[in-house]
Amino acid sequence: MSSTAAIVNGLAVLGLVVSFFKGKGKTVQALKVAGKSFFKILPMVLIIVVLVGLLLGFVPPSQIEKLFGAQSGLLGVLTIGAAGAILHIPSLIAFPLAGSLRESGASVAATAAFITTLTMIGTVYLPVEIKILGKKFALLRNGLSFLAALAISLLMGLIL
Amino acid sequence: MSSVENDNQKGKGEKEKAGGKKDLIRDWVILALSVIGAVVLLSFFPAKVDPTITTSKNYLVEMAWILPAVMILMGLFKVWVSKEMVIKYLGKASGLKGILIAALLGATPTGPLYVAFPLAAAMIDKGARILNIVVFLSAWACIKIPQEMIEIQFLGLKFMATRLVLTVLLVSVMGLVIEKIIENTGSISPELE
């Protein structure tokens, strides 16, 4: 079990215990809401499991440097930003990877674009986001996040 | 925190039930299609079978550990946190304080972004403003203290600090834009309730 899972589960158990002492009926109600929501998003979550498997299976992080190593200029920012938006890499691996991208010749703007789109935009999560928050919100948030990430990267290129 | 009575919105729930079943069937069909698609794709690239299955399996285990707990937290939030409280701290009149609270709420826990969606939906349901929800989700996605530490280590303090400041500014602007668009085109109507 990861530390994230431990924290989230700890909070849930703590919440349930406190809730149970404050009101049995409401606790049961909360569990019902939880169960219903769980089964509602389960298929979408399983779709993501398949997608993430394929993504990391076909584009392992070790190959990304080879693919996008020396990208620079506006085109570099765009392609590397798009890669970051689509790919799915845990941040513990992503930052060292961004460091080595920078070393192998990517510009500040391109490196920033990669990290920013990678963390801010989760294209693989899009089906779940649409399911839970609605198509309008999800598409707006992801689309504008991409623009914001590009703006952040270009500004970083200018400042640094 | 006091527990104030919250309304159940029964009418809304019943209305949504009719469309819910159809959606659920559609979701399972899409899942079946993506599994078939994956199997066909992998049959052309036998070398990719192992890494793909390993990744999917790890991811499935991670989800199995986290998702039920997140759903329970969301359920507790829905039952115990009053609409008045959410409106007060994250609603229309919350202003700059609301943005800060949303950013802090988002930046404190760790965990993948999909964990935050149900919580965001519950907050919208209780009257939080869209700007704050966008800030909350963005903070959850890209402002994490351990993450910033790793960024300093590999890209330097100047890089990290510049990126952080620019991110906070642009995310707030983006939140305002999304809020305006959603307000001008009707409600957001999250399906999950």
Side-chain angles (χ1 to χ4, degrees):
Chain A
M1 184 165 34
S2 68
S3 60
T4 306
I7 293 168
V8 176
N9 281 284
L11 281 175
V13 170
L14 188 74
L16 275 179
V17 171
V18 173
S19 171
F20 190 78
F21 279 109
K22 284 185 96 172
K24 230 175 168 178
K26 278 200 163 188
T27 310
V28 173
Q29 203 189 328
L31 285 173
K32 271 187 193 157
V33 172
K36 247 197 197 158
S37 308
F38 179 76
F39 286 108
K40 230 175 183 175
I41 67 164
L42 188 61
M44 279 297 168
V45 167
L46 293 175
I47 291 170
I48 290 182
V49 168
V50 176
L51 284 180
V52 168
L54 286 176
L55 254 180
L56 281 180
F58 278 83
V59 194
S62 57
Q63 287 207 343
I64 289 166
E65 200 194 321
K66 267 187 236 157
L67 285 171
F68 302 104
Q71 303 279 337
S72 273
L74 190 61
L75 194 69
V77 173
L78 276 173
T79 46
I80 220 167
I86 295 163
L87 291 171
H88 181 82
I89 304 169
S91 56
L92 278 174
I93 302 170
F95 284 103
L97 190 63
S100 61
L101 270 178
R102 181 96 185 83
E103 271 161 33
S104 59
S107 63
V108 169
T111 311
F114 181 67
I115 278 299
T116 310
T117 53
L118 199 59
T119 46
M120 204 144 91
I121 307 167
T123 315
V124 278
Y125 295 146
L126 200 56
V128 173
E129 186 168 355
I130 290 175
K131 180 92 199 152
I132 297 177
L133 290 164
K135 205 183 260 171
K136 201 197 289 175
F137 182 90
L139 293 179
L140 273 174
R141 198 187 71 82
N142 282 279
L144 287 177
S145 287
F146 189 69
L147 292 182
L150 286 183
I152 291 169
S153 324
L154 293 174
L155 285 170
M156 287 207 46
L158 287 177
I159 296 169
L160 296 181
Chain B
M1 274 201 268
S2 70
S3 62
V4 188
E5 310 268 319
N6 72 306
D7 35 41
N8 262 334
Q9 299 172 308
K10 269 205 177 118
K12 192 182 153 204
E14 272 155 23
K15 218 179 358 180
E16 277 175 10
K17 229 174 229 166
K21 258 215 173 94
K22 221 188 209 169
D23 277 0
L24 200 60
I25 294 170
R26 189 199 58 197
D27 290 351
W28 284 106
V29 170
I30 298 175
L31 171 63
L33 288 177
S34 25
V35 171
I36 294 169
V39 170
V40 171
L41 188 65
L42 286 173
S43 69
F44 287 108
F45 300 94
K48 305 288 185 192
V49 172
D50 268 357
T52 302
I53 288 182
T54 313
T55 318
S56 280
K57 217 176 79 189
N58 291 342
Y59 212 65
L60 187 65
V61 171
E62 189 196 313
M63 292 264 197
W65 273 112
I66 294 179
L67 210 58
V70 170
M71 289 303 156
I72 288 172
L73 285 175
M74 186 211 62
L76 290 171
F77 179 89
K78 285 217 152 180
V79 173
W80 287 110
V81 180
S82 72
K83 220 166 189 159
E84 291 78 8
M85 217 151 85
V86 176
I87 290 174
K88 188 177 160 205
Y89 290 110
L90 293 168
K92 265 285 167 212
S94 60
L96 200 61
K97 210 175 77 190
I99 297 182
L100 282 176
I101 293 174
L104 275 178
L105 278 179
T108 340
T110 52
L113 189 58
Y114 63 84
V115 166
F117 297 145
L119 300 174
M123 286 195 267
I124 293 177
D125 211 38
K126 298 255 179 194
R129 67 184 289 193
I130 300 291
L131 162 64
N132 290 337
I133 295 304
V134 172
V135 170
F136 167 74
L137 286 176
S138 305
W140 189 299
C142 55
I143 306 172
K144 289 274 173 287
I145 292 157
Q147 200 170 294
E148 305 299 327
M149 293 300 158
I150 306 168
E151 185 167 355
I152 292 177
Q153 197 185 328
F154 286 96
L155 294 161
L157 178 64
K158 217 165 79 184
F159 188 97
M160 172 274 198
T162 317
R163 209 175 67 84
L164 182 63
V165 171
L166 288 173
T167 304
V168 172
L169 286 176
L170 276 149
V171 159
S172 306
V173 173
M174 179 175 91
L176 275 175
V177 172
I178 293 179
E179 185 175 274
K180 276 278 160 309
I181 295 177
I182 284 181
E183 274 171 1
N184 290 339
T185 54
S187 74
I188 165 166
S189 69
E191 280 181 49
L192 195 91
E193 56 125 4

